[in-house]
Amino acid sequence: MINISKPLIGGEEIDEVEKVLSSGKIAQGPVVAEFEKDFAEFCGVKYAIAVNSGTAALHCALYACGIKKGDEVVTTPFTFVATANAILMQGARPVFVDVNEIDFNIDADKIEEKLTGDTKAILPVDLYGQIYNVDGIGEIAHRKNLRIVEDACQSHGAEYKGKRAGIFGSAGCFSFYATKNMTTGEGGMVVTDDENIADSVKRFRHHGQSEKTHYEYYDLGFNYRMTDIEAAMGIEQLKKLKGFNEIRQKNARALSEGLAGIKGIKVPSVKDGFSHVFHQYTIRVTDQFKIKRDELSQYLTGRGIGNAVFYPKPLHLHPHFMRLGYKDGDFPISEKISKEVLSLPVNPSVSEQDIKYIVDTIKGI
Ligand SMILES: *Cc1c(COP(=O)(O)O)cnc(C)c1O
């Protein structure tokens, strides 16, 4: 089976985790601090605060940006559920805006019509590993005095004009879940240049307690701490991230060259000025193709080619969000592409021969 995702853990991770295990200090400690320092440096920001998931990172960032009950946060319906759930966790309302057909990210041109007096922030997602429309959304946020919280859970190391994902708003949020471009099993990170946001995230991950004054609780907080065990993995994975991403990009180029020109298959586009890190390599299977998307998916599975649909249903069509008043037809592009997208194996364990086999199998149809 050619896997759609596969964590690549080497002797380096195992050795460093073993050191932590034998040290007797396994909860949040010096190794988390070292990982934070490395990650901040990698992103080119002043502060990185480790937490125990990407979801926790989003929750912390929204809290630290002052998002609270009654506020509205603009986001995309074509994303993983955690993006919008984090908004609900703060008692705020997710206001969905449809995506564009180029990178499947939130469409800057459709945001302004959705803004109200209660809108406090925009939460764009770097879907599949390509950064959102930084200039378009940045301009709106600046003019309307809105925060931007970037969901960079799929875009570790992606770039726009030479700057890395996560740094384009007030705060950026990463996940180190097992399937992501780098992993700690479960884990997350908030990055920011704003000292107040950094302090606020630190308090929120630890029951509202400041690191400066122990056992003084300033506000509600959670237990969102990362362990030194996870951080030890993270430090080694971060060293390998650039190499991992380069293989993803090479695999993506080979897939796109191989699949170009097949009627009914649209390969992903990389925007000018952006470097895409292909967390997912996602094609669109349109009506023009010989068989339906779901038939292609089964056909590939039957031939040992892992594949997956991210995401089969936009968020606004799940009962959880329909209860907020959303309905079928609200976001036609998200609804259309959710029926067409199919992600193919692109991760660093996928070889040149694997790519050739995937291309030949699809061409064969
Ligand atoms: C993975 C992911 C998350 C959540 O990360 P977890 O670590 O699983 O909590 C949030 N948003 C997006 C876009 C993701 O892909």
Side-chain angles (χ1 to χ4, degrees):
M1 192 77 184
I2 307 173
N3 291 309
I4 182 79
S5 73
K6 185 175 177 178
L8 288 181
I9 310 298
E12 300 81 2
E13 285 84 346
I14 293 168
D15 287 349
E16 293 306 312
V17 165
E18 207 170 286
K19 276 187 209 159
V20 171
L21 291 176
S22 359
S23 77
K25 289 174 78 177
I26 57 175
Q28 187 190 310
V31 188
V32 167
E34 191 186 331
F35 182 34
E36 291 174 334
K37 194 172 145 280
D38 291 354
F39 202 82
E41 199 173 273
F42 176 81
C43 293
V45 285
K46 285 197 196 133
Y47 309 97
I49 306 97
V51 291
N52 53 23
S53 72
T55 309
L58 288 162
H59 190 193
C60 288
L62 290 170
Y63 167 81
C65 285
I67 303 307
K68 58 184 191 315
K69 195 164 185 233
D71 291 345
E72 294 181 356
V73 178
V74 169
T75 195
T76 161
F78 195 61
T79 178
F80 182 57
V81 66
T83 311
N85 272 350
I87 298 168
L88 292 174
M89 287 173 196
Q90 276 308 96
R93 180 186 170 83
V95 174
F96 294 123
V97 168
D98 211 355
V99 297
N100 70 74
E101 296 203 44
I102 295 157
D103 60 4
F104 312 138
N105 285 331
I106 189 166
D107 189 340
D109 294 338
K110 293 182 184 145
I111 290 179
E112 274 198 77
E113 64 202 58
K114 295 290 177 65
L115 301 180
T116 73
D118 292 326
T119 314
K120 296 290 159 55
I122 306 174
L123 176 33
V125 178
D126 303 333
L127 198 74
Y128 303 147
Q130 181 158 230
I131 295 169
Y132 70 94
N133 177 351
V134 171
D135 295 336
I137 291 174
E139 191 276 319
I140 297 169
H142 182 73
R143 192 158 36 82
K144 300 284 179 181
N145 199 22
L146 303 171
R147 293 280 200 180
I148 293 177
V149 173
E150 181 181 356
D151 182 339
C153 288
Q154 304 188 353
S155 60
H156 322 63
E159 291 179 12
Y160 173 54
K161 290 185 177 164
K163 287 187 176 160
R164 291 203 166 123
I167 68 151
F168 297 105
S170 297
C173 304
F174 291 88
S175 164
F176 306 121
Y177 181 65
T179 61
K180 310 287 172 163
N181 291 34
M182 61 173 281
T183 182
T184 61
E186 297 273 7
M189 193 77 81
V190 179
V191 299
T192 183
D193 271 326
D194 182 324
E195 188 180 3
N196 291 325
I197 290 179
D199 284 345
S200 188
V201 170
K202 283 182 196 164
R203 287 198 300 273
F204 201 60
R205 82 170 160 187
H206 187 59
H207 297 293
Q209 179 192 288
S210 164
E211 284 188 343
K212 289 157 196 153
T213 50
H214 284 190
Y215 297 103
E216 288 288 336
Y217 304 102
Y218 293 89
D219 199 0
L220 176 68
F222 289 72
N223 174 359
Y224 280 158
R225 298 183 304 268
M226 178 183 269
T227 66
D228 270 13
I229 305 168
E230 291 160 324
M233 265 183 87
I235 290 169
E236 297 308 311
Q237 286 274 297
L238 181 60
K239 290 180 193 162
K240 300 177 183 181
L241 177 63
K242 216 163 155 268
F244 285 163
N245 283 345
E246 280 164 13
I247 305 175
R248 286 177 182 273
Q249 288 165 338
K250 181 169 144 277
N251 284 343
R253 272 195 303 274
L255 282 167
S256 286
E257 278 166 27
L259 298 173
I262 300 179
K263 200 173 168 197
I265 300 281
K266 287 188 186 159
V267 300
S269 49
V270 180
K271 298 177 291 182
D272 266 358
F274 289 76
S275 100
H276 190 323
V277 292
F278 289 99
H279 171 60
Q280 298 297 345
Y281 178 90
T282 304
I283 58 169
R284 284 171 69 178
V285 185
T286 70
D287 290 344
Q288 308 273 300
F289 192 62
K290 270 269 191 306
I291 57 178
K292 290 194 162 54
R293 190 268 313 267
D294 292 343
E295 289 166 349
L296 174 59
S297 167
Q298 280 179 11
Y299 182 88
L300 294 175
T301 306
R303 277 154 190 78
I305 299 170
N307 63 90
V309 174
F310 302 112
Y311 297 89
K313 198 154 92 168
L315 294 184
H316 69 284
L317 298 179
H318 293 269
H320 183 43
F321 298 100
M322 287 183 104
R323 281 196 286 272
L324 301 175
Y326 293 109
K327 58 184 188 311
D328 203 3
D330 281 351
F331 306 106
I333 296 174
S334 298
E335 289 167 23
K336 182 173 76 168
I337 61 178
S338 65
K339 297 189 180 79
E340 295 181 348
V341 289
L342 188 67
S343 296
L344 302 173
V346 74
N347 68 77
S349 76
V350 177
S351 70
E352 259 173 63
Q353 288 106 294
D354 292 337
I355 299 281
K356 190 172 179 312
Y357 175 63
I358 296 166
V359 167
D360 289 345
T361 305
I362 296 176
K363 272 190 172 161
I365 300 171

